[in-house]
Amino acid sequence: MIRCLGIDDEPLALKQLVTYISKVPFLELAAQCQSALEARAFLEHDTVDAIFCDINMPDLNGMDFVKSLLVPPLVVFTTAYSEYAVEGFRVNAVDYLLKPFGLQDFQRAANRIKELKELENNGPAVNGSSAADNSQLSSLNSQLFLKTDYRIVKVSIPDIRYIEGMSEYLKVWIEGEPKPIITLLSMKKMEEHLPPSFMRIHRSYIVNLTKIQEVNKNRVIMDANTYLPIGDLYKDAFFAYLDTRFLGK
């Protein structure tokens, strides 16, 4: 069971939230609170796996409350104000439910929490793991979960063609998809979660080396319409890699 905390200063909204929690078999209501201060007091002596939290509350709003937690659980924000959406995205919320929302929307957010908890609970391989366990772990290690448009999407790492940096966001271009996944993430953080088959070739580009079709002077050609520059800082490492794969004189 996933223990969760419901927080809303409006009694009717809180009642609805509690009702929705009771309708999801894998959720267990640990407590319901009518303010962030009440929730903070509860968390001082108890823990939960997830929080469903209103944003616009007196004394301490939900966003600042979550930011104040040293180790925040998974968070789904609920609010009637759409202008909080981007900020909710920045504090790494699992989902963002715009009031009034129905049980179907709530179930979607709950399913994302469940998926993330299952991924977290799988943990690293240990000695004595069965072949099936190791196979499952290998499959998990070939996947990433990226947040985009207040959804969390699963991405198969081998299907990533290249990654393009743009300020605080990344465009993740996937094989066979006309549009990229846009996610709030740094290039450095992304690099840490990619296998050696990916290489940084420019301050704004990481490429899947298996997807390169051609290298022409200081450009990597991914397809007939996609030409990526090779930056001076990354040129030596990239061409050193090519030398290890180059056949000919």
Side-chain angles (χ1 to χ4, degrees):
M1 296 291 284
I2 296 173
R3 300 184 77 242
C4 57
L5 183 63
I7 311 168
D8 201 306
D9 65 310
E10 299 176 7
L12 289 178
L14 183 59
K15 182 179 180 181
Q16 182 190 56
L17 190 58
V18 169
T19 299
Y20 286 168
I21 290 171
S22 70
K23 291 181 180 295
V24 179
F26 54 81
L27 293 184
E28 176 188 352
L29 181 67
Q32 51 181 299
C33 302
Q34 287 190 282
S35 72
L37 296 178
E38 184 183 343
R40 177 185 283 173
F42 173 83
L43 292 176
E44 287 177 357
H45 60 79
D46 208 337
T47 60
V48 295
D49 301 303
I51 292 175
F52 293 89
C53 184
D54 185 30
I55 293 178
N56 194 32
M57 295 186 290
D59 298 324
L60 178 65
N61 73 44
M63 198 76 66
D64 291 337
F65 163 64
V66 171
K67 288 178 182 178
S68 73
L69 299 176
L70 293 178
V71 185
L74 299 172
V75 177
V76 173
F77 283 119
T78 66
T79 183
Y81 301 93
S82 59
E83 63 265 26
Y84 286 114
V86 172
E87 192 175 355
F89 189 67
R90 288 179 182 275
V91 298
N92 209 29
V94 172
D95 207 341
Y96 175 95
L97 297 175
L98 188 63
K99 297 178 181 179
F101 55 87
L103 179 58
Q104 185 176 357
D105 292 328
F106 182 86
Q107 180 76 63
R108 182 197 69 225
N111 288 341
R112 288 175 187 161
I113 287 174
K114 183 173 182 284
E115 190 172 45
L116 288 174
K117 288 301 295 181
E118 288 175 347
L119 185 65
E120 176 185 312
N121 291 337
N122 275 316
V126 295
N127 291 335
S129 295
S130 67
D133 289 339
N134 289 332
S135 175
Q136 181 184 36
L137 181 64
S138 175
S139 176
L140 285 171
N141 287 340
S142 69
Q143 300 168 357
L144 290 175
F145 286 84
L146 299 176
K147 186 180 297 181
T148 179
D149 294 332
Y150 313 105
R151 300 178 296 121
I152 293 178
V153 297
K154 181 174 69 176
V155 174
S156 172
I157 293 176
D159 289 341
I160 298 174
R161 297 179 63 234
Y162 66 96
I163 297 156
E164 179 182 357
M166 52 174 199
S167 186
E168 298 176 333
Y169 292 83
L170 298 181
K171 289 182 177 180
V172 182
W173 294 88
I174 307 295
E175 190 76 41
E177 297 293 336
K179 294 183 179 180
I181 295 171
I182 299 177
T183 185
L184 179 64
L185 199 65
S186 69
M187 293 286 275
K188 184 176 185 300
K189 191 70 174 178
M190 176 61 85
E191 281 185 286
E192 292 172 356
H193 290 81
L194 292 173
S197 55
F198 287 79
M199 180 177 284
R200 185 91 170 257
I201 62 166
H202 187 275
R203 63 186 180 87
S204 298
Y205 293 101
I206 299 171
V207 298
N208 185 340
L209 298 168
T210 68
K211 303 293 185 182
I212 295 174
Q213 291 190 2
E214 185 179 332
V215 179
N216 188 333
K217 296 183 179 179
N218 288 325
R219 297 185 303 176
V220 167
I221 301 174
M222 305 300 291
D223 56 46
N225 300 310
T226 308
Y227 298 74
L228 307 180
I230 302 170
D232 290 339
L233 291 177
Y234 306 92
K235 186 184 303 183
D236 291 346
F238 179 67
F239 283 104
Y241 162 79
L242 288 185
D243 286 342
T244 67
R245 299 292 190 274
F246 184 72
L247 297 179
K249 297 181 180 180

